[in-house]
mmCIF file of all heavy atoms in Angstrom:
data_model
loop_
_atom_site.group_PDB
_atom_site.id
_atom_site.type_symbol
_atom_site.label_atom_id
_atom_site.label_comp_id
_atom_site.label_asym_id
_atom_site.label_seq_id
_atom_site.Cartn_x
_atom_site.Cartn_y
_atom_site.Cartn_z
ATOM 1 N N ALA A 1 -0.889 16.493 -0.154
ATOM 2 C CA ALA A 1 -0.529 16.201 1.233
ATOM 3 C C ALA A 1 -0.959 17.332 2.190
ATOM 4 O O ALA A 1 -1.286 17.086 3.346
ATOM 5 C CB ALA A 1 0.986 15.939 1.340
ATOM 6 N N GLU A 2 -0.933 18.547 1.683
ATOM 7 C CA GLU A 2 -1.284 19.701 2.536
ATOM 8 C C GLU A 2 -2.790 20.026 2.454
ATOM 9 O O GLU A 2 -3.251 20.877 3.250
ATOM 10 C CB GLU A 2 -0.469 20.924 2.080
ATOM 11 C CG GLU A 2 1.029 20.764 2.317
ATOM 12 C CD GLU A 2 1.815 21.881 1.703
ATOM 13 O OE1 GLU A 2 1.181 22.857 1.207
ATOM 14 O OE2 GLU A 2 3.064 21.801 1.657
ATOM 15 N N GLY A 3 -3.477 19.402 1.529
ATOM 16 C CA GLY A 3 -4.923 19.650 1.439
ATOM 17 C C GLY A 3 -5.270 20.988 0.864
ATOM 18 O O GLY A 3 -6.328 21.568 1.184
ATOM 19 N N VAL A 4 -4.399 21.521 -0.035
ATOM 20 C CA VAL A 4 -4.658 22.866 -0.583
ATOM 21 C C VAL A 4 -5.240 22.763 -1.994
ATOM 22 O O VAL A 4 -5.350 23.763 -2.703
ATOM 23 C CB VAL A 4 -3.342 23.705 -0.615
ATOM 24 C CG1 VAL A 4 -2.846 23.907 0.797
ATOM 25 C CG2 VAL A 4 -2.298 23.023 -1.476
ATOM 26 N N ASP A 5 -5.611 21.572 -2.462
ATOM 27 C CA ASP A 5 -6.266 21.431 -3.752
ATOM 28 C C ASP A 5 -7.685 21.894 -3.688
ATOM 29 O O ASP A 5 -8.236 22.196 -2.607
ATOM 30 C CB ASP A 5 -6.192 19.973 -4.218
ATOM 31 C CG ASP A 5 -6.962 19.069 -3.262
ATOM 32 O OD1 ASP A 5 -6.362 18.573 -2.296
ATOM 33 O OD2 ASP A 5 -8.138 18.866 -3.490
ATOM 34 N N ARG A 6 -8.390 21.943 -4.815
ATOM 35 C CA ARG A 6 -9.732 22.476 -4.863
ATOM 36 C C ARG A 6 -10.755 21.631 -4.090
ATOM 37 O O ARG A 6 -11.867 22.119 -3.815
ATOM 38 C CB ARG A 6 -10.216 22.694 -6.325
ATOM 39 C CG ARG A 6 -10.328 21.409 -7.072
ATOM 40 C CD ARG A 6 -10.830 21.547 -8.541
ATOM 41 N NE ARG A 6 -10.889 22.853 -9.115
ATOM 42 C CZ ARG A 6 -10.427 23.203 -10.348
ATOM 43 N NH1 ARG A 6 -9.832 22.285 -11.047
ATOM 44 N NH2 ARG A 6 -10.574 24.367 -10.809
ATOM 45 N N LEU A 7 -10.411 20.386 -3.743
ATOM 46 C CA LEU A 7 -11.318 19.551 -2.948
ATOM 47 C C LEU A 7 -11.206 19.753 -1.465
ATOM 48 O O LEU A 7 -12.093 19.397 -0.727
ATOM 49 C CB LEU A 7 -11.066 18.043 -3.299
ATOM 50 C CG LEU A 7 -11.173 17.648 -4.755
ATOM 51 C CD1 LEU A 7 -11.031 16.133 -4.907
ATOM 52 C CD2 LEU A 7 -12.498 18.110 -5.387
ATOM 53 N N GLY A 8 -10.069 20.298 -1.041
ATOM 54 C CA GLY A 8 -9.851 20.518 0.392
ATOM 55 C C GLY A 8 -9.672 19.261 1.189
ATOM 56 O O GLY A 8 -9.955 19.195 2.386
ATOM 57 N N ILE A 9 -9.128 18.222 0.530
ATOM 58 C CA ILE A 9 -8.898 16.932 1.205
ATOM 59 C C ILE A 9 -7.380 16.678 1.309
ATOM 60 O O ILE A 9 -6.693 16.684 0.275
ATOM 61 C CB ILE A 9 -9.574 15.792 0.477
ATOM 62 C CG1 ILE A 9 -11.073 15.959 0.447
ATOM 63 C CG2 ILE A 9 -9.212 14.445 1.077
ATOM 64 C CD1 ILE A 9 -11.810 14.904 -0.379
ATOM 65 N N ALA A 10 -6.908 16.505 2.504
ATOM 66 C CA ALA A 10 -5.448 16.218 2.702
ATOM 67 C C ALA A 10 -5.223 14.752 2.579
ATOM 68 O O ALA A 10 -5.942 13.944 3.175
ATOM 69 C CB ALA A 10 -5.007 16.732 4.063
ATOM 70 N N VAL A 11 -4.229 14.391 1.768
ATOM 71 C CA VAL A 11 -3.884 12.986 1.530
ATOM 72 C C VAL A 11 -2.632 12.629 2.348
ATOM 73 O O VAL A 11 -1.642 13.332 2.278
ATOM 74 C CB VAL A 11 -3.613 12.716 0.043
ATOM 75 C CG1 VAL A 11 -3.272 11.260 -0.192
ATOM 76 C CG2 VAL A 11 -4.818 13.088 -0.810
ATOM 77 N N ARG A 12 -2.745 11.552 3.126
ATOM 78 C CA ARG A 12 -1.575 11.064 3.831
ATOM 79 C C ARG A 12 -0.913 9.969 3.032
ATOM 80 O O ARG A 12 -1.497 8.946 2.691
ATOM 81 C CB ARG A 12 -1.946 10.523 5.198
ATOM 82 C CG ARG A 12 -0.729 10.260 6.108
ATOM 83 C CD ARG A 12 -1.111 9.774 7.448
ATOM 84 N NE ARG A 12 -1.446 8.369 7.452
ATOM 85 C CZ ARG A 12 -0.536 7.387 7.519
ATOM 86 N NH1 ARG A 12 0.750 7.690 7.589
ATOM 87 N NH2 ARG A 12 -0.916 6.135 7.540
ATOM 88 N N PHE A 13 0.339 10.246 2.623
ATOM 89 C CA PHE A 13 1.128 9.314 1.849
ATOM 90 C C PHE A 13 2.014 8.491 2.769
ATOM 91 O O PHE A 13 2.974 9.088 3.327
ATOM 92 C CB PHE A 13 1.994 10.020 0.821
ATOM 93 C CG PHE A 13 1.224 10.703 -0.304
ATOM 94 C CD1 PHE A 13 0.691 11.975 -0.165
ATOM 95 C CD2 PHE A 13 1.042 10.055 -1.505
ATOM 96 C CE1 PHE A 13 0.004 12.587 -1.188
ATOM 97 C CE2 PHE A 13 0.365 10.658 -2.563
ATOM 98 C CZ PHE A 13 -0.158 11.940 -2.398
ATOM 99 N N PRO A 14 1.821 7.212 2.949
ATOM 100 C CA PRO A 14 2.754 6.403 3.744
ATOM 101 C C PRO A 14 4.138 6.439 3.120
ATOM 102 O O PRO A 14 4.326 6.773 1.909
ATOM 103 C CB PRO A 14 2.150 5.010 3.677
ATOM 104 C CG PRO A 14 0.685 5.230 3.408
ATOM 105 C CD PRO A 14 0.673 6.465 2.498
ATOM 106 N N ALA A 15 5.147 6.063 3.890
ATOM 107 C CA ALA A 15 6.503 6.079 3.404
ATOM 108 C C ALA A 15 6.663 5.344 2.094
ATOM 109 O O ALA A 15 6.218 4.214 1.964
ATOM 110 C CB ALA A 15 7.425 5.451 4.483
ATOM 111 N N GLY A 16 7.274 6.010 1.150
ATOM 112 C CA GLY A 16 7.580 5.389 -0.138
ATOM 113 C C GLY A 16 6.498 5.639 -1.191
ATOM 114 O O GLY A 16 6.831 5.677 -2.411
ATOM 115 N N LEU A 17 5.255 5.811 -0.832
ATOM 116 C CA LEU A 17 4.208 5.929 -1.841
ATOM 117 C C LEU A 17 4.233 7.321 -2.485
ATOM 118 O O LEU A 17 3.890 7.467 -3.673
ATOM 119 C CB LEU A 17 2.829 5.663 -1.236
ATOM 120 C CG LEU A 17 2.629 4.209 -0.768
ATOM 121 C CD1 LEU A 17 1.175 3.968 -0.380
ATOM 122 C CD2 LEU A 17 3.028 3.198 -1.857
ATOM 123 N N ALA A 18 4.622 8.351 -1.748
ATOM 124 C CA ALA A 18 4.743 9.656 -2.355
ATOM 125 C C ALA A 18 5.843 9.636 -3.396
ATOM 126 O O ALA A 18 5.707 10.190 -4.497
ATOM 127 C CB ALA A 18 5.056 10.715 -1.278
ATOM 128 N N SER A 19 6.978 8.966 -3.069
ATOM 129 C CA SER A 19 8.071 8.911 -4.027
ATOM 130 C C SER A 19 7.665 8.091 -5.284
ATOM 131 O O SER A 19 8.060 8.433 -6.400
ATOM 132 C CB SER A 19 9.298 8.223 -3.377
ATOM 133 O OG SER A 19 9.781 9.002 -2.339
ATOM 134 N N GLU A 20 6.856 7.096 -5.085
ATOM 135 C CA GLU A 20 6.339 6.329 -6.242
ATOM 136 C C GLU A 20 5.574 7.222 -7.192
ATOM 137 O O GLU A 20 5.699 7.119 -8.434
ATOM 138 C CB GLU A 20 5.481 5.138 -5.811
ATOM 139 C CG GLU A 20 6.202 3.947 -5.236
ATOM 140 C CD GLU A 20 5.335 2.770 -5.048
ATOM 141 O OE1 GLU A 20 4.382 2.578 -5.859
ATOM 142 O OE2 GLU A 20 5.523 1.996 -4.050
ATOM 143 N N CYS A 21 4.762 8.114 -6.631
ATOM 144 C CA CYS A 21 3.993 9.030 -7.448
ATOM 145 C C CYS A 21 4.855 10.003 -8.230
ATOM 146 O O CYS A 21 4.600 10.322 -9.362
ATOM 147 C CB CYS A 21 2.964 9.763 -6.583
ATOM 148 S SG CYS A 21 1.621 8.734 -5.925
ATOM 149 N N VAL A 22 5.881 10.498 -7.526
ATOM 150 C CA VAL A 22 6.750 11.479 -8.162
ATOM 151 C C VAL A 22 7.672 10.791 -9.214
ATOM 152 O O VAL A 22 7.885 11.321 -10.296
ATOM 153 C CB VAL A 22 7.605 12.175 -7.105
ATOM 154 C CG1 VAL A 22 8.644 13.090 -7.745
ATOM 155 C CG2 VAL A 22 6.724 12.968 -6.149
ATOM 156 N N ASP A 23 8.116 9.569 -8.901
ATOM 157 C CA ASP A 23 9.040 8.894 -9.780
ATOM 158 C C ASP A 23 8.383 8.260 -10.964
ATOM 159 O O ASP A 23 9.067 7.970 -11.976
ATOM 160 C CB ASP A 23 9.805 7.786 -8.996
ATOM 161 C CG ASP A 23 10.732 8.369 -7.963
ATOM 162 O OD1 ASP A 23 11.080 9.560 -8.054
ATOM 163 O OD2 ASP A 23 11.065 7.617 -6.988
ATOM 164 N N ASP A 24 7.070 8.023 -10.935
ATOM 165 C CA ASP A 24 6.380 7.430 -12.064
ATOM 166 C C ASP A 24 6.165 8.468 -13.136
ATOM 167 O O ASP A 24 5.237 9.262 -13.094
ATOM 168 C CB ASP A 24 4.998 6.855 -11.566
ATOM 169 C CG ASP A 24 4.208 6.227 -12.696
ATOM 170 O OD1 ASP A 24 4.722 6.142 -13.840
ATOM 171 O OD2 ASP A 24 3.069 5.816 -12.433
ATOM 172 N N ALA A 25 7.039 8.488 -14.145
ATOM 173 C CA ALA A 25 7.014 9.529 -15.198
ATOM 174 C C ALA A 25 5.764 9.475 -16.052
ATOM 175 O O ALA A 25 5.385 10.512 -16.651
ATOM 176 C CB ALA A 25 8.266 9.433 -16.021
ATOM 177 N N SER A 26 5.109 8.349 -16.108
ATOM 178 C CA SER A 26 3.870 8.245 -16.884
ATOM 179 C C SER A 26 2.728 8.941 -16.161
ATOM 180 O O SER A 26 1.703 9.279 -16.811
ATOM 181 C CB SER A 26 3.500 6.792 -17.112
ATOM 182 O OG SER A 26 3.126 6.165 -15.872
ATOM 183 N N GLY A 27 2.875 9.189 -14.893
ATOM 184 C CA GLY A 27 1.825 9.836 -14.131
ATOM 185 C C GLY A 27 0.681 8.969 -13.741
ATOM 186 O O GLY A 27 -0.309 9.424 -13.149
ATOM 187 N N ASP A 28 0.755 7.667 -14.019
ATOM 188 C CA ASP A 28 -0.370 6.784 -13.781
ATOM 189 C C ASP A 28 -0.687 6.643 -12.297
ATOM 190 O O ASP A 28 -1.862 6.659 -11.907
ATOM 191 C CB ASP A 28 -0.069 5.376 -14.375
ATOM 192 C CG ASP A 28 0.015 5.408 -15.880
ATOM 193 O OD1 ASP A 28 -0.446 6.398 -16.478
ATOM 194 O OD2 ASP A 28 0.541 4.442 -16.471
ATOM 195 N N ARG A 29 0.341 6.484 -11.461
ATOM 196 C CA ARG A 29 0.068 6.365 -10.020
ATOM 197 C C ARG A 29 -0.503 7.683 -9.482
ATOM 198 O O ARG A 29 -1.436 7.639 -8.652
ATOM 199 C CB ARG A 29 1.331 5.988 -9.291
ATOM 200 C CG ARG A 29 1.736 4.502 -9.450
ATOM 201 C CD ARG A 29 3.080 4.202 -8.851
ATOM 202 N NE ARG A 29 3.437 2.804 -8.906
ATOM 203 C CZ ARG A 29 3.849 2.162 -10.001
ATOM 204 N NH1 ARG A 29 3.950 2.819 -11.164
ATOM 205 N NH2 ARG A 29 4.116 0.836 -9.948
ATOM 206 N N LEU A 30 0.038 8.807 -9.912
ATOM 207 C CA LEU A 30 -0.460 10.091 -9.419
ATOM 208 C C LEU A 30 -1.894 10.296 -9.904
ATOM 209 O O LEU A 30 -2.737 10.772 -9.129
ATOM 210 C CB LEU A 30 0.447 11.218 -9.914
ATOM 211 C CG LEU A 30 0.065 12.626 -9.494
ATOM 212 C CD1 LEU A 30 -0.171 12.727 -7.979
ATOM 213 C CD2 LEU A 30 1.087 13.626 -9.942
ATOM 214 N N ASP A 31 -2.167 9.945 -11.119
ATOM 215 C CA ASP A 31 -3.559 10.100 -11.634
ATOM 216 C C ASP A 31 -4.509 9.225 -10.824
ATOM 217 O O ASP A 31 -5.680 9.636 -10.557
ATOM 218 C CB ASP A 31 -3.608 9.716 -13.114
ATOM 219 C CG ASP A 31 -3.150 10.817 -14.036
ATOM 220 O OD1 ASP A 31 -2.947 11.980 -13.514
ATOM 221 O OD2 ASP A 31 -2.977 10.597 -15.249
ATOM 222 N N ALA A 32 -4.099 8.047 -10.445
ATOM 223 C CA ALA A 32 -4.938 7.169 -9.650
ATOM 224 C C ALA A 32 -5.228 7.808 -8.296
ATOM 225 O O ALA A 32 -6.337 7.704 -7.764
ATOM 226 C CB ALA A 32 -4.313 5.792 -9.462
ATOM 227 N N VAL A 33 -4.206 8.489 -7.720
ATOM 228 C CA VAL A 33 -4.422 9.154 -6.423
ATOM 229 C C VAL A 33 -5.373 10.353 -6.575
ATOM 230 O O VAL A 33 -6.230 10.612 -5.734
ATOM 231 C CB VAL A 33 -3.103 9.601 -5.829
ATOM 232 C CG1 VAL A 33 -3.276 10.461 -4.584
ATOM 233 C CG2 VAL A 33 -2.208 8.391 -5.486
ATOM 234 N N LEU A 34 -5.239 11.076 -7.687
ATOM 235 C CA LEU A 34 -6.166 12.190 -7.953
ATOM 236 C C LEU A 34 -7.604 11.690 -8.061
ATOM 237 O O LEU A 34 -8.522 12.340 -7.574
ATOM 238 C CB LEU A 34 -5.735 12.929 -9.202
ATOM 239 C CG LEU A 34 -4.388 13.713 -9.112
ATOM 240 C CD1 LEU A 34 -3.910 14.137 -10.479
ATOM 241 C CD2 LEU A 34 -4.559 14.937 -8.198
ATOM 242 N N CYS A 35 -7.790 10.563 -8.746
ATOM 243 C CA CYS A 35 -9.116 9.946 -8.827
ATOM 244 C C CYS A 35 -9.596 9.467 -7.466
ATOM 245 O O CYS A 35 -10.788 9.602 -7.139
ATOM 246 C CB CYS A 35 -9.118 8.765 -9.822
ATOM 247 S SG CYS A 35 -8.871 9.194 -11.545
ATOM 248 N N LEU A 36 -8.690 8.970 -6.660
ATOM 249 C CA LEU A 36 -9.007 8.558 -5.308
ATOM 250 C C LEU A 36 -9.499 9.738 -4.482
ATOM 251 O O LEU A 36 -10.488 9.624 -3.730
ATOM 252 C CB LEU A 36 -7.772 7.920 -4.641
ATOM 253 C CG LEU A 36 -7.904 7.558 -3.157
ATOM 254 C CD1 LEU A 36 -8.965 6.484 -2.944
ATOM 255 C CD2 LEU A 36 -6.553 7.118 -2.617
ATOM 256 N N ALA A 37 -8.850 10.909 -4.633
ATOM 257 C CA ALA A 37 -9.294 12.100 -3.902
ATOM 258 C C ALA A 37 -10.696 12.526 -4.347
ATOM 259 O O ALA A 37 -11.507 12.932 -3.490
ATOM 260 C CB ALA A 37 -8.282 13.236 -4.127
ATOM 261 N N GLN A 38 -10.993 12.403 -5.622
ATOM 262 C CA GLN A 38 -12.359 12.713 -6.093
ATOM 263 C C GLN A 38 -13.372 11.731 -5.535
ATOM 264 O O GLN A 38 -14.490 12.085 -5.173
ATOM 265 C CB GLN A 38 -12.361 12.756 -7.623
ATOM 266 C CG GLN A 38 -11.644 13.930 -8.216
ATOM 267 C CD GLN A 38 -11.604 13.904 -9.727
ATOM 268 O OE1 GLN A 38 -11.114 12.986 -10.319
ATOM 269 N NE2 GLN A 38 -12.153 14.984 -10.315
#
């Protein structure tokens, strides 16, 4: 969200989607977002 990753791209998470990434213990949603940033 802050754009401090090695790609330098800030991601805007609409309401609720950030929590989905954090709450998904399998990491699948977060991994999909990381692929999206790439």
Side-chain angles (χ1 to χ4, degrees):
E2 295 171 8
V4 297
D5 62 272
R6 64 178 12 133
L7 303 185
I9 296 175
V11 180
R12 191 177 80 82
F13 290 86
L17 295 188
S19 296
E20 285 190 35
C21 291
V22 175
D23 293 340
D24 180 5
S26 69
D28 294 344
R29 285 172 174 78
L30 180 52
D31 280 350
V33 173
L34 291 167
C35 291
L36 174 64
Q38 289 177 301

